[in-house]
Amino acid sequence: MKREAKRRKREALLLLVCLIGLVLLFLASSTDLLIKEQEKEIFHISIIIEETGDENYVNFRKGVEQAAADLNVDVSFVTLYESNQEKQQLAFFRREQQDGAQAIVLVPVGKMKSIVEESKSNSVPLLLVNTEQQEEDVYGLLSPDYRKMGEDLAKEIGRDWESDTLVCLIGEERQSGVSQSFGEALSSALEEAGFHTEILVKGEEESLEEALEREGWNEEKRFVAVALEPGNLEEMAELLSEGGSAGSRIGGLYGRGSRISILNYLDKRIITGIMVTDEFSEGYLSVRYAVEAIRKQPSIGVKQLESYYIEKEDLRKAEYEKMLYPIE
């Protein structure tokens, strides 16, 4: 009897131990009472561009969003109230620092001295994107080579047209720095090849059609048009699609940018050819390098992205299709 009682007592004790073990395993697997899950660090990054909207940054933003998901980043994407306003961008830069940005990605407007000094004094890493301004005391620069882009486009125009063709470069009254670099390199390369170039500057308050009429481009000149800004390329393509006097004068239309509307006009052969870059990768790398800057990794220096010339036939090629129509 005593042996039987001891055996039952041991069995009961063993059962109790098993029950306690099961309860502890449940608590460990379903709560953080016993084992606390390690919290992932969240990085706070601000991206400030030079424009009032993100029409030219659609693929760039897709890359940013993918990197943010992969790297646990909270991204603030900031546009200006007016394009290319240096003072306004400086004000937004200060605001983002005060709101706790650990690193700032900037598409700069104008001179960088004040922004660079404040970034340095507040120990907030600064990554420059889409610019040719190579500043000291910044974490790095990530951008296409816009001068090379202009030179490459000039070569393509030279293959399509006789060297005595008139080329109209369409720019803005308040033009971005990259468009200026792109236009200067393009104009210089075209003139070296024997082309005659003229610049049409569109005023802030006028349409492209009004600017063409003001300068007499709709009357007797036949020319090739190159838009230095993506917005002007889209506007000129829209004019050509509607017909009218401009359409009868323009032999070919070129530019840069990969807005969906621009790609659609290229597909319809209204636009002859464009220069593009891998904007998805640029957005992704912007966030990745900003995180590296927060982690105090060595400076990336200057990293230049490749640019490519494409025509209608290239839109369905796998390497360009993936770049122009990325899926996050």
Side-chain angles (χ1 to χ4, degrees):
M1 292 293 290
K2 290 182 178 180
R3 289 181 179 178
E4 183 67 21
K6 287 182 178 180
R7 184 179 64 80
R8 288 180 179 177
K9 189 176 180 180
R10 283 197 300 269
E11 289 177 350
L13 184 60
L14 181 61
L15 181 60
L16 179 61
V17 170
C18 290
L19 287 173
I20 292 173
L22 288 172
V23 170
L24 291 174
L25 286 172
F26 172 78
L27 290 173
S29 62
S30 61
T31 72
D32 61 356
L33 292 177
L34 298 178
I35 303 174
K36 290 189 177 181
E37 184 179 351
Q38 187 176 4
E39 293 183 4
K40 292 183 179 179
E41 184 179 5
I42 299 176
F43 303 98
H44 300 280
I45 294 170
S46 294
I47 298 176
I48 308 173
I49 65 172
E50 84 286 21
E51 299 185 3
T52 58
D54 63 354
E55 294 87 354
N56 294 323
Y57 286 86
V58 173
N59 288 345
F60 180 90
R61 286 198 71 160
K62 288 180 179 180
V64 165
E65 290 163 5
Q66 184 64 58
D70 291 347
L71 303 173
N72 208 37
V73 177
D74 176 34
V75 176
S76 173
F77 197 95
V78 182
T79 60
L80 304 183
Y81 298 137
E82 293 181 67
S83 295
N84 298 314
Q85 281 284 355
E86 187 175 345
K87 290 182 179 179
Q88 194 177 107
Q89 190 175 67
L90 176 59
F92 283 158
F93 177 83
R94 289 170 173 164
R95 184 194 70 184
E96 293 304 305
Q97 286 190 119
Q98 292 169 0
D99 288 347
Q102 295 171 277
I104 294 180
V105 178
L106 187 76
V107 182
V109 175
K111 297 178 181 178
M112 292 289 301
K113 184 177 180 181
S114 297
I115 287 179
V116 171
E117 286 179 353
E118 292 198 21
S119 171
K120 185 179 178 182
S121 64
N122 293 323
S123 299
V124 176
L126 180 62
L127 175 67
L128 304 183
V129 178
N130 284 350
T131 182
E132 293 193 331
Q133 297 188 52
Q134 297 186 21
E135 298 284 343
E136 294 182 358
D137 299 318
V138 301
Y139 182 70
L141 184 151
L142 176 66
S143 177
D145 184 339
Y146 285 98
R147 298 198 68 83
K148 183 176 184 301
M149 187 185 292
E151 293 167 356
D152 289 347
L153 182 56
K155 291 176 184 177
E156 298 297 335
I157 293 172
R159 293 188 180 100
D160 292 343
W161 301 92
E162 297 294 332
S163 61
D164 59 351
T165 303
L166 174 62
V167 180
C168 174
L169 307 182
I170 302 168
E172 292 278 348
E173 196 168 73
R174 187 189 294 164
Q175 192 158 271
S176 66
V178 295
S179 293
Q180 185 173 349
S181 294
F182 173 67
E184 287 174 354
L186 174 66
S187 176
S188 177
L190 285 172
E191 289 179 358
E192 283 182 13
F195 288 87
H196 176 58
T197 64
E198 293 186 19
I199 298 176
L200 173 67
V201 179
K202 190 184 86 164
E204 290 185 40
E205 303 299 326
E206 68 178 346
S207 68
L208 185 52
E209 186 173 22
E210 290 170 340
L212 288 166
E213 290 175 356
R214 168 172 52 80
E215 296 298 322
W217 286 92
N218 286 353
E219 297 171 2
E220 55 187 33
K221 299 177 181 178
R222 181 166 175 79
F223 59 97
V224 168
V226 183
L228 305 182
E229 298 271 2
N232 286 339
L233 178 59
E234 182 181 26
E235 189 177 356
M236 178 61 88
E238 186 177 351
L239 274 178
L240 294 182
S241 69
E242 294 171 354
S245 57
S248 63
R249 299 295 180 190
I250 297 176
L253 175 61
Y254 301 82
R256 64 181 181 88
S258 57
R259 294 182 184 182
I260 293 297
S261 57
I262 289 175
L263 299 179
N264 289 339
Y265 283 126
L266 182 67
D267 195 31
K268 296 174 183 177
R269 297 190 190 279
I270 293 171
I271 294 176
T272 311
I274 55 175
M275 299 298 301
V276 298
T277 59
D278 187 348
E279 294 172 2
F280 180 91
S281 293
E282 183 179 31
Y284 193 99
L285 290 172
S286 295
V287 174
R288 197 188 88 184
Y289 290 146
V291 170
E292 290 180 4
I294 294 170
R295 289 174 169 165
K296 301 189 183 302
Q297 296 294 314
S299 168
I300 64 166
V302 177
K303 289 192 178 294
Q304 291 187 325
L305 298 165
E306 291 291 331
S307 57
Y308 310 90
Y309 175 78
I310 64 169
E311 297 177 333
K312 172 184 169 63
E313 292 75 19
D314 299 310
L315 289 173
R316 303 296 178 263
K317 292 181 179 178
E319 63 268 32
Y320 296 123
E321 190 172 31
K322 183 178 179 181
M323 182 177 69
L324 299 171
Y325 307 100
I327 299 174
E328 299 99 314

